[in-house]
Amino acid sequence: MKSLRVGFLSSHNYLDRNAWSGIIYYMYKALTERNIQVVGLGKPPKKNSLWQRVLNKLWKQNDCIKIGSPRYIAEYNELASLVQKQLIETPCDAIFAPVAKREVAFIKTNIPIVYCSDVTCFLHLKHYKIDLEPEEIEWEKRQEALAISNATKLVYPSEWAANSAISDYHAESGKIEVIPFGANIDDCELANEVLSKKQHQVCRLLFVGKDWERKGGNLAVETLICLQKMGIEAELVMVGSKLPDEVRTENRTVIPFLNKNDRQQRQQLNSLFLRANFFIFPTRADCSPIVICEANAFGLPVITTDVGGIPTIVKNGKNGYMLPLSATGSDCANLIAKVFSDRELYNQLVLSSREEYERRLNWNKWAESIEQVFVSLLNYEGKKQIVRTNYTGNFGE
C-alpha cells in the first residue's frame, strides 16, 4: 500500500515535549510511526537549550503582537505564502493542522485539511479567563469560524468540543470525528508491572497541575485533610504547582516542576504515577486533560470532576470516578475511602483503568484512527470535485 503524504501544520514546536502539554510532540511521533510520510510545513521547529527558551519567552513577552494588527496579518500571510510554496515543492495528499485555527484561516489551498483541536473558541471564552482586548477576541472568534468552515474534516477528542462545533459554528456533523487523545509517555511499564500495584496501609494520592486554582489544588489538599480526620493514613504528592503560603498540612510533598524533555525527570514522574493509589484531579475547568490518560497508563484510578471533555475520557467505575463540580473535599475523601477499603473493588479498578489506556487512551490507537480519517477522506475526495472556500486576496485585505 502506497504511503500517505501528510503535511503537518502547527505553530507549536513538535520537537518539544512541553509544547501544548506535549500533545503536538506525541501526535507527530505517532503519525511518523504509521504508514504515513509526514512533511513539516511552516517554519521548522528547533530544539533549543534551556537558556534559549528563557530568552524566547522574554522576547515574546516584550514583543507581543496584537491579534489582528497589521503586523499580525502580515506575519500570517507570510506564513501562508511559505506553506503554499512548500506544498508546490513537496505535494501532500492532505494537511493535518492541530490547534492551528490561525494557520487554517489564512492558508489558501485545495488540499484537504484535517483540523484538530480540543476546544472551540466559544467554549474557551466561556470557561477560561482570557487576557485579550475586545477587538482581539472578535478576531479569535472570526478565525475559529473560518478554520471550521475551511477544514475538510474536524477532529476533536471529546463530544463536548464536537457538539460546540455543531451548535455554535454550524459545522456539519458528518465532517466531525471524535478521537480521544493518548497518554504522553515514552517508557510506560508493561501491564504486568503496572497491575502488580498493591494496596498499602498508606493511601497515596497524586495531583499534577500547573494552575493551582483552576486544577482544584485546594480541593486535593482538603481531601487529604478529610482522609486524615477519618483516621485513614494518607499522603499527597503535588507536582507542577506552587502552593499558596496559607496552605499547610502534614504528609504533603510539593514538586514545583518536572521537565518532560529531561529523561531523568520524566522517569521521576513515571515513578510517582506507579507508586500512587489514586490520581486526584478535581479540576474546575478543562478540555481533554492528557494527564488522566497518563494516570490510567499506570493503572491509576482517577478521582475528577464532570467538566469539559472529561466524560469522554473517564467512565465511572472503569477508570475512575467523576464527581459534580459542587463536590467538596469531604465528598472526594468518602469516595476514596470506600474504594480503597474494598480490596476487590480497588484491584478491579486498577485493572480496568489500565485496560482503558490500552484500548483507547494511547497515541497508537489515536494515530490508527486518524490514518483512517485520511484514507476515507482521500477516497471520498477522489470521487468528487473538491468544493472549498477560496479567498480572492490575503486575509485582512
Side-chain angles (χ1 to χ4, degrees):
M1 177 181 175
K2 180 183 177 182
S3 65
L4 297 171
R5 180 180 286 175
V6 175
F8 194 97
L9 177 62
S10 180
S11 59
H12 292 273
N13 186 347
Y14 53 75
L15 298 179
D16 186 354
R17 286 182 173 88
N18 292 319
W20 200 46
S21 301
I23 295 173
I24 300 296
Y25 170 87
Y26 284 95
M27 284 181 167
Y28 184 84
K29 181 173 180 286
L31 290 176
T32 59
E33 292 172 353
R34 306 289 303 177
N35 186 33
I36 297 175
Q37 182 183 349
V38 182
V39 178
L41 298 177
K43 298 177 182 178
K46 297 179 181 179
K47 287 186 176 180
N48 295 324
S49 65
L50 175 60
W51 176 239
Q52 186 63 50
R53 290 198 298 272
V54 171
L55 287 177
N56 290 344
K57 187 174 182 179
L58 291 174
W59 289 334
K60 187 176 181 180
Q61 290 174 345
N62 296 328
D63 192 28
C64 187
I65 303 174
K66 183 177 180 180
I67 298 172
S69 67
R71 182 180 170 189
Y72 174 92
I73 296 171
E75 287 205 3
Y76 273 93
N77 276 327
E78 180 183 346
L79 175 64
S81 297
L82 172 62
V83 170
Q84 286 170 246
K85 180 180 178 181
Q86 291 170 331
L87 291 172
I88 292 173
E89 295 174 350
T90 309
C92 293
D93 299 308
I95 295 172
F96 178 62
V99 283
K101 69 172 181 285
R102 297 174 185 179
E103 293 88 332
V104 175
F106 277 83
I107 193 172
K108 301 182 289 293
T109 181
N110 280 336
I111 297 174
I113 298 175
V114 177
Y115 169 55
C116 177
S117 181
D118 64 345
V119 70
T120 64
C121 184
F122 177 87
L123 292 175
H124 198 213
L125 293 170
K126 181 179 179 181
H127 297 286
Y128 287 72
K129 295 178 181 178
I130 308 298
D131 186 22
L132 294 175
E133 296 179 8
E135 297 83 359
E136 293 179 294
I137 290 176
E138 288 305 312
W139 264 83
E140 289 285 277
K141 290 179 178 178
R142 181 186 178 194
Q143 289 175 139
E144 181 77 72
L146 276 172
I148 288 176
S149 175
N150 293 345
T152 318
K153 270 286 187 181
L154 302 168
V155 176
Y156 297 102
S158 70
E159 286 82 1
W160 174 71
N163 290 337
S164 175
I166 296 170
S167 60
D168 301 317
Y169 295 92
H170 310 292
E172 298 177 8
S173 59
K175 83 177 207 176
I176 295 178
E177 297 287 341
V178 175
I179 306 174
F181 290 160
N184 291 351
I185 49 179
D186 290 314
D187 44 11
C188 180
E189 278 76 0
L190 298 176
N192 60 337
E193 297 173 350
V194 169
L195 298 178
S196 66
K197 185 189 296 287
K198 295 180 176 61
Q199 286 174 279
H200 306 278
Q201 184 177 355
V202 178
C203 181
R204 295 167 175 166
L205 309 180
L206 175 65
F207 169 90
V208 179
K210 293 181 180 179
D211 190 330
W212 167 265
E213 183 177 349
R214 181 170 64 83
K215 298 294 186 179
N218 60 323
L219 275 172
V221 173
E222 185 183 329
T223 300
L224 172 66
I225 295 172
C226 290
L227 285 170
Q228 292 170 338
K229 288 181 178 179
M230 295 167 65
I232 298 174
E233 191 175 358
E235 62 181 36
L236 171 64
V237 176
M238 310 194 80
V239 179
S241 291
K242 181 181 179 182
L243 275 63
D245 293 335
E246 65 272 15
V247 177
R248 300 180 185 279
T249 185
E250 296 180 353
N251 299 327
R252 173 185 50 78
T253 302
V254 178
I255 304 174
F257 179 69
L258 288 175
N259 185 358
K260 287 188 173 182
N261 287 310
D262 182 281
R263 180 176 178 81
Q264 185 175 357
Q265 294 184 52
R266 287 202 313 273
Q267 291 177 337
Q268 182 181 354
L269 181 59
N270 289 353
S271 296
L272 291 173
F273 276 118
L274 193 61
R275 182 176 182 271
N277 297 112
F278 292 94
F279 182 70
I280 183 163
F281 192 68
T283 178
R284 309 290 86 193
D286 246 298
C287 300
S288 292
I290 294 295
V291 69
I292 294 178
C293 307
E294 294 172 350
N296 284 171
F298 292 92
L300 191 55
V302 178
I303 307 298
T304 186
T305 40
D306 186 358
V307 297
I310 292 179
T312 300
I313 308 173
V314 176
K315 306 302 179 185
N316 280 329
K318 275 197 170 183
N319 55 338
Y321 294 92
M322 292 180 296
L323 294 172
L325 197 58
S326 59
T328 64
S330 178
D331 295 326
C332 294
N334 287 331
L335 175 59
I336 290 171
K338 177 183 176 181
V339 175
F340 194 63
S341 64
D342 187 331
R343 180 174 295 274
E344 184 177 349
L345 174 61
Y346 177 78
N347 288 341
Q348 179 56 47
L349 194 58
V350 168
L351 176 63
S352 55
S353 292
R354 172 70 185 203
E355 287 176 345
E356 287 300 290
Y357 160 73
E358 293 180 346
R359 187 174 68 86
R360 61 186 182 91
L361 301 177
N362 64 80
W363 284 116
N364 286 337
K365 185 64 178 179
W366 175 88
E368 178 185 325
S369 299
I370 284 288
E371 184 177 13
Q372 288 304 309
V373 169
F374 291 138
V375 171
S376 299
L377 174 63
L378 294 173
N379 286 341
Y380 176 71
E381 292 292 338
K383 297 177 182 177
K384 71 178 188 66
Q385 181 179 2
I386 300 174
V387 179
R388 297 179 52 76
T389 302
N390 289 307
Y391 301 106
T392 56
N394 287 339
F395 194 103
E397 289 187 347

